[in-house]
Structure formats: C-alpha cells, structure tokens
Amino acid sequence: MREVVRVSRFATEHAGVPASAPRNVGIDLLRGLAIVLVIFNHIGIRIPLKKTALADLLPARFLSDLNYNGYEAVFVFFVISGFLITGNALRRWGDLARIDMKTFYALRFSRIVPCLLLLVALLSALHGLGVQDYVIDRPGQSLPRAVLAALGLHLNWYEGMTGYLPGNWDVLWSLSIEEVFYIGFPIVCLLTRRVWILAPLLVLLAVSMPWTHAALTDNEIWQEKAYLPGMSAIAIGVIGALLARRWPVLSMTQARVLIVVGALGMIAEMFGGRFLWPIFGDSILLLLTVSAMLMLIALQARPVSRVRRFGWLASWGRLSYEIYLSHMFVVYGVVHVYKAMGSDVTLGFLWYLLALPLCWLLGRAVQRYVSQPSERWLRARLITAKSSIRLAQVNESA
C-alpha cells in the first residue's frame, strides 16, 4: 500500500503538479536577478543607459556595468542549473548512482523541448516572411542549418564558425551547452557509481575554466560560447549540490557568511571586473561561479520563506526559462517603437520601464499556455508506471 501511495504521489508530481517541498525563494531571487541582467544587456546594446539622463545621476561606468553583464548572468544560470538538477536527482533517487536514465531524460525533454520547438517554428516563420531582425542573411548561414543547430544542440558552435545569428536565435547558445552536459551527466554518474570518483572529475572540469576560456582567443564568439567553459560552470553547480547534501544544516551565522562572501564575489566580478582582471585574468569567471555556488549552498540550507519587497524579482526567477527564450520579441518591438518615435536617447531609460513588464507578461503567458500544460502532458506519457514503481522502491530503501 505504501508503495502504491508513493507511485501515485510521484506520478502526480511529475505530471506537472508542484512537489510537496516549496520553491526556494532565495534561489528564485538569484535567478530573477540573472534574467533581468540578461534583458538589460540586450536592451543596452540598442539603448545604452550611460547615454540617457540617468548618467547625470549615476556613474556612467555603473550604468555600463548594468548593461553589459548579461554574459556573466548566463554563467550564473549555469551554476544554478547544475545545482538544482543535481539536488532534484538526489531527492528523487537518493543517490546519483541510482538515476533512472529514461526518467531523467523524460523530465528534461518535457521541460525544455516544447518551448524550444515553438520558438524555432516562430523564428522560421518570421524568417520566411522576411520580417526585419529575424532574417538569417549572413554569408555561410541558412535557415535549415540554423534549425539543425538549434535542435541538434550545437548552435553555439554554429555561431562560432559562421557569426552571430539574429538575436532570438542567439539566445539558444546557452541551451546547447546545458543540454549537452545533461545528456552525459546521468551516464557519467552511473559509470562512476561513487561520489569520491565523480567529485574529482567535476573539480577538474570546474578548475579548467580559465584555461579552456583563454585557449580560444583567436575566435571571440567561440571563446564566449564554447562548451567547456559553460560546462565548467554547470559542474560547479553540481559540486555545490553535493556539498549541500553533505552539509544540509548550517547555522545562521555560517549561512550569512556564505551569502555575504558569495554576494561580494559576484558584485566584485560584475561591477569591478576592470580592476580585478589584472589579478585574476581568465580566472575571473571562476570567481563569479564559485561565489554563486556559495550563495546557493547557504540558500539551500537556510531557505528564505518569503520576501516582502522583492517578490516581483522571485517571480522573474520562476519564469526565467520562458522569459529567456521569449524576451527578444519584446526587445525588438520596443526598440522599433523607440526609433519610430525619434530615438531620444536622453529618455531612453523609460523604454526599459516598458520592456521589463512586457517581458514578464510574455514569459507568464508562455508558461501558462505552453510550458506548463505541455510539460504535464509529456510527463504523464513519458514517465511510465514501471519507472514510477522503480523510483518508489528506491525511495523506500533510501
């Protein structure tokens, strides 16, 4: 009877109903901050804050940093993703050596693929209609090849070899890295079988980041979007989840120290990178990602139950995947209206105030009408009763 209850509970949870454990608001806040920085980056390329009237009130360097930390924000996403995927796997199966590959891939597929397919279909249609900002027209690029790269998880490599794709396609570079990592992750876990074997491999991958990043200086696009540096950041998130599992309880003082140290490290990298580069060089991304990992460990051990003034930012974190895939539609639309109304850069900051809520609303619509229902439908069909029973038996013995 207990087994039946467990199976029923598992099937319910993975049909899209939230699990019994509440969302971690602190992690959602960190993820929300990252997606806001990505949007600031993509608007800032077209309407720089340092050229607006805000420059009369705030340092131009600070405004520039607000606009140009989107790449760093993606690396924070990588760390968060590694942390959450590993933590979820540990909770589902009790041990990484017990991962059910079919269920693992079904969970990832149902979360990632529906929105990805919809985005690729929309972008292909807009290209075919010749809509400005959506036409793939660089020499050596084509729509069929871009579709293959996006669905074949090598769009980052394709851009490195041929140049940047239009903005809505370009955001998929990070998805290519993340999903390739997760294709191999359960395989490596099942082959190594022991954390003491897996952990050194993860550490080796993590600390390789400065060298793998520096080795690609002859191709700026590929240097930014290569597999290994991004996978190193994900590995740091995995290490963080293993450490959090090892030390699940922290005192309030310990948690605060980790949060303060992590926050200071992230702020220093994002807003003081020009001063730190002579010291850290390509290791500066390691400072950022390790700092994010420290914050995640603390937030996992001491969850934030509620936030009064920053609930809106946590909601951005909950919608981060949907917003990340869809926000360029809003950015392009707002920029076109901005140009049509005379391109008054002095008041350019006001267009951010329009773009941000529109990005959230579009992301919320995608979640409500696409990702949530499709995820529930797919999980109900891809995760078989046999897999559910196996998982229940693992939980019973854990």
Side-chain angles (χ1 to χ4, degrees):
M1 181 66 181
R2 291 177 62 190
E3 181 176 288
V4 172
V5 171
R6 287 178 181 270
V7 172
S8 175
R9 179 174 178 271
F10 173 80
T12 300
E13 288 176 356
H14 295 292
V17 179
S20 57
R23 290 188 68 97
N24 190 304
V25 178
I27 295 177
D28 279 337
L29 285 172
L30 187 59
R31 193 157 41 180
L33 176 62
I35 190 61
V36 168
L37 287 174
V38 168
I39 294 173
F40 266 58
N41 183 202
H42 290 152
I43 301 176
I45 292 171
R46 297 155 179 91
I47 311 175
L49 283 174
K50 66 181 180 181
K51 294 184 179 180
T52 70
L54 289 181
D56 296 331
L57 303 173
L58 298 169
R61 174 57 66 176
F62 172 74
L63 295 174
S64 182
D65 288 337
L66 282 180
N67 276 149
Y68 296 108
N69 270 306
Y71 180 67
E72 287 76 7
V74 171
F75 268 69
V76 173
F77 272 128
F78 285 150
V79 179
I80 295 172
S81 181
F83 187 88
L84 292 178
I85 293 295
T86 306
N88 288 338
L90 289 169
R91 280 187 290 275
R92 288 182 180 118
W93 292 286
D95 192 299
L96 294 182
R98 297 175 177 176
I99 288 178
D100 183 320
M101 288 180 60
K102 183 177 180 181
T103 302
F104 182 91
Y105 291 140
L107 292 170
R108 298 308 301 155
F109 183 91
S110 60
R111 174 61 178 147
I112 296 297
V113 171
C115 287
L116 174 62
L117 289 177
L118 176 60
L119 178 62
V120 170
L122 285 174
L123 295 179
S124 299
L126 291 170
H127 168 90
L129 294 171
V131 178
Q132 185 181 354
D133 295 322
Y134 297 94
V135 176
I136 299 171
D137 55 7
R138 280 181 177 270
Q141 293 183 346
S142 67
L143 176 62
R145 192 63 186 83
V147 172
L148 178 62
L151 300 182
L153 304 179
H154 64 278
L155 187 132
N156 55 330
W157 178 87
Y158 184 60
E159 284 196 317
M161 299 302 104
T162 64
Y164 289 107
L165 289 162
N168 280 73
W169 290 93
D170 177 62
V171 300
L172 295 176
W173 73 270
S174 62
L175 193 62
S176 293
I177 294 173
E178 193 169 331
E179 291 311 302
V180 165
F181 183 95
Y182 289 121
I183 287 173
F185 179 64
I187 298 173
V188 173
C189 289
L190 293 173
L191 288 176
T192 54
R193 305 293 298 174
R194 297 288 185 271
V195 171
W196 64 267
I197 299 176
L198 176 64
L201 298 177
L202 292 169
V203 171
L204 182 62
L205 178 57
V207 299
S208 72
M209 184 189 298
W211 289 275
T212 55
H213 193 265
L216 302 167
T217 53
D218 59 331
N219 186 327
E220 181 180 352
I221 299 177
W222 185 230
Q223 182 183 34
E224 289 185 353
K225 303 182 177 184
Y227 286 106
L228 286 179
M231 288 184 177
S232 297
I234 301 172
I236 289 171
V238 176
I239 293 169
L242 294 175
L243 291 174
R245 174 68 175 265
R246 178 74 172 174
W247 296 292
V249 178
L250 297 176
S251 69
M252 185 62 72
T253 300
Q254 291 170 327
R256 286 176 177 172
V257 168
L258 289 180
I259 288 175
V260 169
V261 171
L264 289 176
M266 291 179 62
I267 292 170
E269 197 282 340
M270 289 184 170
F271 295 94
R274 61 192 180 281
F275 302 115
L276 295 177
W277 180 262
I279 301 172
F280 287 91
D282 285 285
S283 298
I284 199 166
L285 281 175
L286 202 55
L287 169 65
L288 173 72
T289 50
V290 171
S291 297
M293 180 195 75
L294 295 178
M295 292 192 70
L296 290 169
I297 293 172
L299 292 169
Q300 180 72 25
R302 288 281 180 174
V304 178
S305 58
R306 56 182 297 184
V307 285
R308 294 182 180 179
R309 298 182 180 179
F310 295 97
W312 62 272
L313 188 58
S315 73
W316 279 76
R318 292 191 293 271
L319 298 171
S320 58
Y321 177 61
E322 289 82 2
I323 294 174
Y324 183 76
L325 290 189
S326 64
H327 73 277
M328 286 304 299
F329 292 110
V330 174
V331 171
Y332 280 140
V334 167
V335 170
H336 278 302
V337 176
Y338 160 75
K339 291 179 178 179
M341 295 184 67
S343 303
D344 182 2
V345 75
T346 304
L347 298 177
F349 66 93
L350 295 176
W351 295 96
Y352 288 71
L353 301 180
L354 174 62
L356 287 171
L358 290 177
C359 287
W360 186 92
L361 288 171
L362 180 57
R364 180 69 182 91
V366 172
Q367 182 203 49
R368 181 174 182 179
Y369 298 110
V370 180
S371 62
Q372 276 188 346
S374 59
E375 187 174 2
R376 287 174 179 151
W377 188 87
L378 285 169
R379 288 186 176 189
R381 285 153 180 79
L382 293 177
I383 302 176
T384 63
K386 182 178 179 180
S387 297
S388 300
I389 292 172
R390 187 183 301 118
L391 179 58
Q393 291 170 341
V394 168
N395 289 335
E396 185 70 31
S397 63

